């Protein structure tokens, strides 16, 4: 295993020791997997949902995972590829008190609720914790360190969006690059009309 990270040594990656991932669906799961592959030692995974068959078109899980909690399936997958990682799954929603209790270096917010995003963003800001918001609605991807509070509305109803594997995996890769490789990385321009993005 001494050669595992030998090819990334010269990249001067800024690897956080603990990342909390709130929301382990299509984007959040790939974020956690890519972080583990890059050598982040401790991951705390939060999501109250179970794997549904429709999730399998964008996640690397087996049909046998359907009906089981996403965080535990993701935890097992990561430990399969990185047995030395410390991965903790919590089948619940991350909250302000979660941020207080866990105090991660970075919180990646892949939740669907704007109210939850504002709560987590504010909690991180108050505690000096890096916050990254990632989102994908099937046609657009978003990577930011803020949540627009002007868009507060009743978001209790879940909206089903069209989805496939490329946009969530692409967004997760960009988020992990932002976290680890170049904290001052700035994204400019846009991706237009590429496979439904």
């Amino acid at each position: 295993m001494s050669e595992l990270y030998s090819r990334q040594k010269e990249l001067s990656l800024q690897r956080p020791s603990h990342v909390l991932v709130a929301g382990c669906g299509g984007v959040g799961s790939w974020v956690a997997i890519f972080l583990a592959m890059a050598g982040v030692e401790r991951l705390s995974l939060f999501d109250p949902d179970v794997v549904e068959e429709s999730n399998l078109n964008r996640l690397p899980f087996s049909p046998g995972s359907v009906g089981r909690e996403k965080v535990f399936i993701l935890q097992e997958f990561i430990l399969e590829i990185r047995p030395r990682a410390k991965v903790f799954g919590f089948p619940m929603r991350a909250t302000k008190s979660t941020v207080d209790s866990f105090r991660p270096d970075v919180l990646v917010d892949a939740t669907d609720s704007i109210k939850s995003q504002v709560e987590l963003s504010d909690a991180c800001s108050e505690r000096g914790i890096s916050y990254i918001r990632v989102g994908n609605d099937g046609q657009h991807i978003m990577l930011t360190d803020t949540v627009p509070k002007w868009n507060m509305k009743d978001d209790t109803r879940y909206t089903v969006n069209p989805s496939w594997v490329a946009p969530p995996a692409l967004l997760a890769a960009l988020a992990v690059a932002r976290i680890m490789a170049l904290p001052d990385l700035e994204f400019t321009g846009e991706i237009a009309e590429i496979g439904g993005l």
Side-chain angles (χ1 to χ4, degrees):
M1 288 299 231
S2 62
E3 294 293 313
L4 183 61
Y5 298 111
S6 63
R7 291 191 178 196
Q8 68 185 43
K9 282 182 184 174
E10 293 181 28
L11 297 175
S12 300
L13 297 178
Q14 298 182 19
R15 185 168 42 197
S17 61
H18 179 204
V19 178
L20 188 152
V21 179
C24 296
V27 178
S29 288
W30 283 112
V31 166
I33 291 165
F34 291 160
L35 286 168
M37 291 178 70
V40 171
E41 295 176 1
R42 182 175 174 203
L43 295 167
S44 297
L45 313 172
F46 284 80
D47 195 309
D49 294 334
V50 298
V51 176
E52 298 176 11
E53 185 177 11
S54 62
N55 299 138
L56 300 181
N57 78 326
R58 59 194 176 279
L59 294 173
F61 306 143
S62 72
S65 63
V66 173
R68 293 186 55 208
E69 286 91 352
K70 286 179 180 177
V71 292
F72 297 138
I73 295 297
L74 180 56
Q75 178 185 32
E76 291 171 10
F77 184 89
I78 291 171
L79 290 173
E80 180 89 15
I81 61 172
R82 294 295 184 270
R84 294 182 181 174
K86 294 177 180 84
V87 185
F88 305 95
F90 301 91
M92 62 185 72
R93 190 175 71 83
T95 64
K96 180 179 180 179
S97 63
T98 305
V99 177
D100 285 335
S101 299
F102 285 78
R103 295 285 181 159
D105 300 312
V106 178
L107 188 147
V108 177
D109 186 345
T111 63
D112 297 321
S113 165
I114 293 172
K115 289 181 181 178
S116 178
Q117 294 160 18
V118 169
E119 178 183 0
L120 294 174
S121 174
D122 287 349
C124 288
S125 178
E126 292 165 8
R127 288 150 191 81
I129 296 169
S130 293
Y131 173 88
I132 294 182
R133 166 80 185 112
V134 291
N136 168 43
D137 70 0
Q139 304 216 358
H140 305 92
I141 59 175
M142 177 186 55
L143 171 60
T144 183
D145 60 0
T146 61
V147 177
K149 295 179 183 177
W150 52 265
N151 197 20
M152 292 288 290
K153 62 180 184 213
D154 178 18
D155 60 357
T156 55
R157 294 183 312 163
Y158 179 74
T159 303
V160 175
N161 292 307
S163 59
W164 64 295
V165 68
L170 172 63
L171 178 55
L174 291 172
V176 171
R178 175 74 171 93
I179 292 167
M180 294 190 57
L182 301 167
D184 298 322
L185 183 65
E186 292 184 26
F187 294 100
T188 59
E190 62 183 54
I191 300 172
E193 304 301 321
I194 300 176
L197 291 180

